[in-house]
Amino acid sequence: MWSVDDHLEDVLTTVRPLEPIELNLLDAQGCVLVEDITVPVSLPPFDNSSMDGYAVRVADVAGASEEFPAVLEVVGDVAAGPSDPPEVGPGRAARIMTGAPLPPGAETVVPVEWTDGGLGEGPVTAMRARSLGPEGAEGEVRVHRPAGARAHVRAAGSDVRAGDRALEAGTVLGPPQIALLAAIGRGRVRVRPRPRVVVVSTGSELVQPDEKLAHGQIYDSNSFALTAAARDAGAIAYRVGAVEDDAETLRSTIEDQLVRADLMVTTGGVSVGAYDVVKEALAHVGDEDEPGGGVDFRTLAMQPGKPQGFGSIGPDHTPILALPGNPVSSYVSFELFVRPAIRTLMGLPDVHRPTVTATLVAEKALTSPKGRRQFLRAVCDGGSVRPVGGSGSHLVAALAHADALIVVPEETESVEPGAEVRVLLLR
């Protein structure tokens, strides 16, 4: 009987990070950087306005008030984008839009709400379009409040400066990171690609959702759960419809899927029953044709998830994890073994879910079989954790409400309410 830790170590020492490739930015979403990214150009690259308003000299608006506004000559517009901005001399102002470069001579920006907008009346609430009113880029503007030096001005390099390190190797590229890369002009990056995971469920009793159930049939939930879990872990996951209990059909299906797999995952057919087809199909698959390949089927000292399979198949020795078929056993096995394998393929330094210590809240003591590490579905709320549902490995409804697993060590047979327990977080 294998321990949980020994089986996991075998998986993680066998699986290797995928080779880096260069991808366009959007194709690199969810991938892991393999290089530090240095900023080639400062952000912002020039001083620019953070408000719609008027670019002015500080001295020209000092002491301005609604009773005694500063009256300035409007010499033109400064919009975002390439332009030839007017120079702001004494007694002058330029209309400026958010993001536009600060024009020569200007020292500060007065928000349009502090002015009459060139209308000759009281304060306005917004700047009208240039073509819609007499307050265009000519005439006068009355400023009702003073502004200090560089007010409402975004300084060049105030975000990042040229030469700074924008992102470190090992960073997972999400939307904010892709935004930063685009902002500094990087259209392609070198990353480890998201691993391609193929999920195959087995069992002649399995029917696809939306189909009608006959006597003795159940809906295939495992393949949906594991495919979703693989995507949640960062993989590109493909779901294969349930394969009937026929070894040759299963073997053929897996061989067909290898072309698009960096990792294969099967569920069901790994126990000791007469129809446990995965063991029959894969137990000797690599012995003759593929030296070094093959799948080892094991008994683990854990509950749920006692029967497990692991090895490699095909000409590229694609790793395969064969999980049990009961829904809870399958999902717990995924979290313990498949998710870390996916994260290892991605090249992440930390491949495990976080663990915390929490106080057990329960009506009675929890029991656990001696010699097995038990994983109980639970809800963790701050410093406390409570079990949900029973211990049966078929109770998928309880799994839907759990966000954690209570981990009961192999040597522990009973855990009293109020005891401190180790908790594996699933969020």
Side-chain angles (χ1 to χ4, degrees), residues 270-284:
V270 296
S271 191
V272 294
Y275 290 86
D276 285 326
V277 67
V278 174
K279 290 180 70 174
E280 181 183 351
L282 300 180
H284 306 290

Side-chain angles (χ1 to χ4, degrees), residues 7 29 43 85 94 136 156 160 200 215 225 238 261-262 264 282 284 286 379 397 402:
H7 181 67
Q29 182 174 357
L43 291 182
V160 290
V200 181
H215 180 69
Y238 305 102
D262 297 307
M264 293 285 302
L282 300 180
H284 306 290
V379 173

